[in-house]
């Protein structure tokens, strides 16, 4: 792998079946994308936690770093990340859906350190970054694709580099929203249940090459995980 964040993405000919079947309404329909891509909507979906989860994720990166953002995120997340890495850094956003790439490019105007490309994250990326960020993607993909995505993100960071995951987690038994979230997952997010009790660390064959740090927040409903690649001499 070249030690560079210059990325040669492979053309995506067809969208993943799970995305077209399950999430067309959310990510592929030009009539709904502009309505969903609003900060109040994102905030409501995350029960008022969007801003703090985004701030937490963005704080894991350092100005001047090359960062891979795994998939587009509604709201102001990508511009926040781009401002964090600054003009000395580089943000590369990869998403499999051309409509999402066009949409995030619009939000990144005026931030020359950022670019967005169409790419399928289940495919190995031929590039090396200081860090990668995976914000609420894993619960939206089936278990097989989830393993591929985790493996590919871990493979994309240099020794000492980090992969930051923010996603759903099994809420505590007493959590007042637990029954409602159970219904949401059943009706709208059919792949989420298989993530809730599965440590992200357990999804990766290369897990032992990384040091894992995990915390949860909002009664356990969200998990924040940082995997740091060990230096070769450790
Ligand atoms: C990051 S996730 C969900 C983020 C969060 N729910 C939000 O507020 O936007 C949604 C994105 O993942 C993308 N996606 C799904 N599977 C992908 C894959 N295999 N490779 C790249 N992007 C993918 C979809 O196209 C969509 O834009």
């Amino acid at each position: 792998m070249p030690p560079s964040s210059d990325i040669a993405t492979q053309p995506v000919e067809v969208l993943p079946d799970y995305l077209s079947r399950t999430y067309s309404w959310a990510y592929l329909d030009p009539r709904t994308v502009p309505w969903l891509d609003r900060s109040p909507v994102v905030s409501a979906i995350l029960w008022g936690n969007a801003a703090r989860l985004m701030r937490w994720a963005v704080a894991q990166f350092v100005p001047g770093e090359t960062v891979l953002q795994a998939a587009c995120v509604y709201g102001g997340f990508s511009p926040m990340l781009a401002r964090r890495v600054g003009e000395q850094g580089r943000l590369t956003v990869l998403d499999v859906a051309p409509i999402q790439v066009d949409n995030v490019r619009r939000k990144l105007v005026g931030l020359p350190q950022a670019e967005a490309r169409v790419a399928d994250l289940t495919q190995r990326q031929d590039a090396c970054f200081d860090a990668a960020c995976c914000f609420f993607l894993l619960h939206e993909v089936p278990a097989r694709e989830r393993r591929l995505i985790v493996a590919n993100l871990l493979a994309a960071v240099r020794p000492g580099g980090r992969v930051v995951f923010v996603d759903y987690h099994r809420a505590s038994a007493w959590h007042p929203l637990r029954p409602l979230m159970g219904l949401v997952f059943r009706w709208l997010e059919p792949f989420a249940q298989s993530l809730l009790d599965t440590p992200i660390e357990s999804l990766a064959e290369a897990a032992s090459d990384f040091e894992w740090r995990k915390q949860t927040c909002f009664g356990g409903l969200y998990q924040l995980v940082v995997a740091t690649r060990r230096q070769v001499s450790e």
Side-chain angles (χ1 to χ4, degrees):
M1 181 192 300
S4 153
S5 65
D6 291 341
I7 191 163
T9 48
Q10 294 167 2
V12 173
E13 308 219 318
V14 272
L15 289 170
D17 196 46
Y18 65 81
L19 183 61
S20 322
R21 278 174 188 258
T22 317
Y23 290 111
S24 270
W25 64 273
Y27 300 119
L28 305 179
D29 188 334
R31 292 165 302 181
T32 54
V33 168
W35 289 98
L36 293 172
D37 190 8
R38 291 164 190 244
S39 293
V41 175
V42 177
S43 179
I45 290 170
L46 294 175
W47 301 105
N49 292 284
R52 81 163 159 145
L53 290 169
M54 288 182 186
R55 277 198 306 272
W56 182 92
V58 167
Q60 307 309 309
F61 305 100
V62 176
E65 284 190 322
T66 56
V67 174
L68 166 63
Q69 182 190 322
C72 294
V73 173
Y74 285 148
F77 186 64
S78 299
M80 277 172 76
L81 260 182
R83 287 192 194 97
R84 177 70 175 176
V85 300
E87 292 197 5
Q88 305 307 314
R90 184 113 194 109
L91 175 69
T92 303
V93 185
L94 299 182
D95 195 291
V96 75
I99 182 176
Q100 288 293 327
V101 171
D102 290 344
N103 189 52
V104 77
R105 280 182 183 151
R106 187 181 48 75
K107 295 189 278 186
L108 293 170
V109 167
L111 294 163
Q113 66 271 37
E115 63 163 349
R117 305 248 201 119
V118 176
D120 187 339
L121 292 155
T122 64
Q123 309 285 324
R124 193 54 67 102
Q125 303 305 318
D126 184 19
C128 185
F129 296 84
D130 293 322
C133 185
C134 188
F135 193 86
F136 284 95
L137 170 62
L138 296 184
H139 75 281
E140 292 194 347
V141 301
R144 180 182 156 274
E145 284 79 2
R146 184 180 299 144
R147 295 185 87 92
L148 291 170
I149 290 171
V150 171
N152 291 337
L153 293 179
L154 294 179
V157 297
R158 61 163 172 81
R162 280 144 287 129
V163 184
V164 174
F165 300 92
V166 180
D167 221 304
Y168 286 108
H169 183 262
R170 174 81 64 202
S172 312
W174 52 263
H175 201 301
L177 291 171
R178 189 168 148 140
L180 181 56
M181 287 310 295
L183 292 175
V184 170
F185 290 146
R186 193 168 320 152
W187 287 336
L188 297 175
E189 309 265 25
F191 313 118
Q193 289 286 355
S194 63
L195 174 70
L196 301 184
D197 301 313
T198 307
I200 293 173
E201 185 175 350
S202 73
L203 299 174
E205 276 180 27
S208 60
D209 295 343
F210 289 77
E211 191 181 307
W212 293 80
R213 191 158 51 85
K214 171 179 173 181
Q215 63 188 94
T216 60
C217 68
F218 198 55
L221 184 57
Y222 306 116
Q223 59 181 315
L224 317 164
V225 175
V226 180
T228 304
R229 184 184 281 280
R230 296 179 205 284
Q231 301 284 355
V232 181
S233 57
E234 271 181 51

